[in-house]
Amino acid sequence: MVIEITPPMTDCSSSLEASAAPVPLETGHMLINDVNIGYCRYGSGPNFLLCICGAVGCYSKDFPEAVLRQFDPTLVTIICIDPPGYGTSRPPDRKQEIMRCTKDSEFCVKLMQGLSLVPFTVCGWSEGARTAVDVAARGPTIVKKMILMAAGTRVTAMGANAFRGMRNTDQWLPTARLPYLKHYDEAFLKKQWADLCDVVVEVYEMMGGRFPCDHKLNQITQPSLIVNGGQDRFCSDPKKDFLNVLKNARLETQLHGGHDFHIKYPKWFADKVQVFIKEK
């Protein structure tokens, strides 16, 4: 195992008024299963939190500094991972296929074990929430708590049709492409998103609309927090999909937020997560 820590990224202003100076945000790589996995680290608190990005994402896009710095660095140690094929975990580029999130879960666990940050709370956004389910299903000795953000473990006929309609990124509004193009080139976004949409449709047509992680929800006994945006048009009913299945879960909703509610309302998000983490 090889761990490489690079110098801290340029700091921005901390939201914690009590802090005398901004806490460094470190970036690094760890060689896992012959893949050079990139990650960033914020804080040095006793509560360990792993954050997993969404589809065609990366930690700098989906968990930017503006979000991380809303957390108390004396309370949490946050690790944000770039799954294989995304962000700083390239080359090679991502291979979109049905079992990708299940495969990602092994990299997540090995990263946290390699950093000696186990047990931890796992937190996944959008596609990353499916990986978080797979991680949490490995048991409470590895994962203490689970946070699912803008999550979905099933796809309906309407959802499959929506992904068919979104397949060609050339037809997106420039404002929709911009967050991705800050981190990837047009060719990467176009191929990855088309391949991703094909996988979602395949799950609907060939697997009854159930992603592999959906079959593991009833195995999870750890405390779970489901966090959604009230204006999110991509997520179905969390009460039916999660609260009726998970044994120990509750829901928090940012009524004004969309799919990326945590980026639009980072303080609200951090406050909800920190309350949840501190609960016994």
Side-chain angles (χ1 to χ4, degrees), residues 44-45 65 74 92 123 131 143 173 186 201 204 208 222 254 279:
S44 57
E65 285 194 57
T74 68
C123 175
T131 303
V143 175
L173 292 173
E186 286 271 11
V201 172
Y204 173 71
Q222 301 97 312
Q254 167 45 254
E279 291 172 352

Side-chain angles (χ1 to χ4, degrees), residues 186-253:
E186 286 271 11
F188 183 90
L189 173 60
K190 185 178 181 68
K191 175 173 173 45
Q192 290 289 322
W193 194 264
D195 291 350
L196 169 76
C197 290
D198 291 344
V199 167
V200 173
V201 172
E202 185 179 358
V203 168
Y204 173 71
E205 294 179 345
M206 305 297 293
M207 302 181 65
R210 301 181 70 184
F211 288 92
C213 64
D214 189 63
H215 299 277
K216 299 181 181 179
L217 285 173
N218 60 7
Q219 303 173 21
I220 295 172
T221 59
Q222 301 97 312
S224 300
L225 177 65
I226 314 302
V227 198
N228 274 15
Q231 309 300 315
D232 188 349
R233 60 190 178 91
F234 293 105
C235 292
S236 55
D237 184 357
K239 295 179 181 177
K240 180 180 69 174
D241 292 350
F242 298 113
L243 300 190
N244 289 344
V245 183
L246 292 168
K247 298 175 176 62
N248 184 8
R250 73 166 188 264
L251 173 68
E252 295 281 0
T253 302

Side-chain angles (χ1 to χ4, degrees), residues 43-75:
S44 57
N47 299 283
F48 311 141
L49 178 65
L50 173 68
C51 295
I52 309 169
C53 67
V56 198
C58 57
Y59 65 68
S60 56
K61 170 185 172 292
D62 297 339
F63 291 97
E65 285 194 57
V67 172
L68 299 183
R69 292 191 180 282
Q70 299 296 327
F71 287 84
D72 179 355
T74 68
L75 175 69

Side-chain angles (χ1 to χ4, degrees), residues 5-26:
I5 300 293
T6 55
M9 297 170 62
T10 302
D11 294 321
C12 61
S13 297
S14 172
S15 64
L16 300 172
E17 295 180 0
S19 297
V23 173
L25 183 66
E26 298 177 335

